Amino acid sequence: FAEINYNSDTLLDAGDWAELWNRSTGYINLTKYSFKDSHDTNIYNFPIDLQIAPDSRLVLVHDSAKFFARHPNVTNWIGPFDFNLSNGGETLRLFDFNGQIKYSMIYKDESSWPAGADGDGYTLELLDATKDVNVASDWFTGCLEGSPGYAYNPNCNVGINDIQPSELYTVNNLSGALFQIKSSENIFSSQISIFNLLGNRIYTLIFNGSEMQVDLSNEAKGIYFIQIKNKSSITIHKIIIQ
């Protein structure tokens, strides 16, 4: 496994999913293979004549409707499997056509494991093919909503990697798409940038004084990020257009 989504943000819920990665130079035939979690009675049987090409990925999906709603452009997935991945940690296992275990790993939600994957909308992402999948330090916080079916893109979280509100600024929702940015002191020439979930900058404004309003009524409902940059700091606030 190269990426795991075991506890989605409630507003970004794609259901549980896990990405298989064929790291070899040959095809892997998964006919009559099965996927199980910690419980032997939770079984998903792979389709007949299913293969993964070299250096390709395949996503195992728990809830196909939720997954398609969040990732409509991803086509290399199968499912659904009818059991959940535990929010508190889980064993993931693959068995071959003879019922022999071929692969096993354990992820956890302890402090040593990337916290962003535990309900904050991010995923567990494996550092590289040489790493130990059972070691917390060999995983990192992946993209917001993940990158199912594709290799990790380091630019996927541009501008929204660290959500770090400060006491200097507050951001308040005045109505569904109208936000107020306030400062505890007069600020001049601070740059306000607004990013969508893909990390794309959609607005750039200049903040002068102690407060301003930002109208995002032309944008779709969902989660966005306001970045406030001045000479001494950069802070990021998560906002929701309702």
Side-chain angles (χ1 to χ4, degrees):
F1 289 94
E3 188 176 11
I4 302 168
N5 186 71
Y6 69 90
N7 187 11
S8 295
D9 184 295
T10 55
L11 295 175
L12 308 171
D13 190 3
D16 296 338
W17 52 266
E19 178 190 82
L20 291 172
W21 177 22
N22 178 4
R23 299 174 289 183
S24 73
T25 57
Y27 281 80
I28 295 180
N29 190 338
L30 295 175
T31 297
K32 295 187 177 180
Y33 271 54
S34 61
F35 166 58
K36 300 181 183 180
D37 62 4
S38 304
H39 306 281
D40 286 334
T41 54
N42 289 338
I43 306 172
Y44 172 76
N45 294 312
F46 286 82
I48 296 175
D49 297 328
L50 176 66
Q51 298 188 78
I52 306 181
D55 196 30
S56 295
R57 298 161 192 265
L58 179 69
V59 186
L60 300 174
V61 172
H62 167 242
D63 189 316
S64 54
K66 286 183 176 180
F67 184 83
F68 180 77
R70 301 306 308 175
H71 303 286
N73 296 321
V74 178
T75 58
N76 51 332
W77 63 271
I78 58 172
F81 55 87
D82 61 1
F83 49 92
N84 291 309
L85 304 183
S86 172
N87 293 349
E90 186 75 273
T91 300
L92 305 182
R93 299 176 293 167
L94 291 179
F95 294 81
D96 68 12
F97 56 91
N98 287 319
Q100 300 298 309
I101 193 163
K102 297 291 291 185
Y103 177 95
S104 178
M105 68 157 292
I106 300 174
Y107 70 83
K108 300 179 181 179
D109 72 342
E110 298 173 352
S111 59
S112 56
W113 286 76
D118 192 16
D120 288 338
Y122 297 86
T123 58
L124 291 179
E125 186 92 43
L126 190 64
L127 280 170
D128 62 56
T130 66
K131 299 303 181 182
D132 187 336
V133 293
N134 293 299
V135 176
S137 60
D138 288 339
W139 294 83
F140 66 98
T141 300
C143 299
L144 193 62
E145 295 202 73
S147 53
Y150 299 93
Y152 174 73
N153 179 354
N155 293 319
C156 68
N157 290 331
V158 170
I160 60 174
N161 290 347
D162 300 308
I163 303 174
Q164 301 172 330
S166 73
E167 295 181 358
L168 179 60
Y169 301 99
T170 58
V171 178
N172 302 304
N173 189 338
L174 300 180
S175 66
L178 184 63
F179 295 86
Q180 180 190 59
I181 303 173
K182 296 185 69 174
S183 171
S184 58
E185 58 189 62
N186 283 328
I187 301 295
F188 296 94
S189 299
S190 289
Q191 179 176 293
I192 308 295
S193 299
I194 301 175
F195 297 86
N196 62 20
L197 275 176
L198 298 177
N200 299 320
R201 191 194 310 265
I202 58 174
Y203 288 96
T204 300
L205 309 166
I206 299 299
F207 184 89
N208 287 313
S210 61
E211 69 175 80
M212 69 178 295
Q213 292 185 4
V214 179
D215 185 354
L216 299 177
S217 56
N218 290 328
E219 302 301 324
K221 294 180 180 180
I223 296 176
Y224 294 79
F225 298 86
I226 294 181
Q227 179 194 79
I228 307 173
K229 181 188 299 185
N230 57 38
K231 292 181 179 180
S232 60
S233 67
I234 298 176
T235 62
I236 297 176
H237 298 254
K238 177 181 177 181
I239 60 171
I240 300 175
I241 299 177
Q242 301 176 339

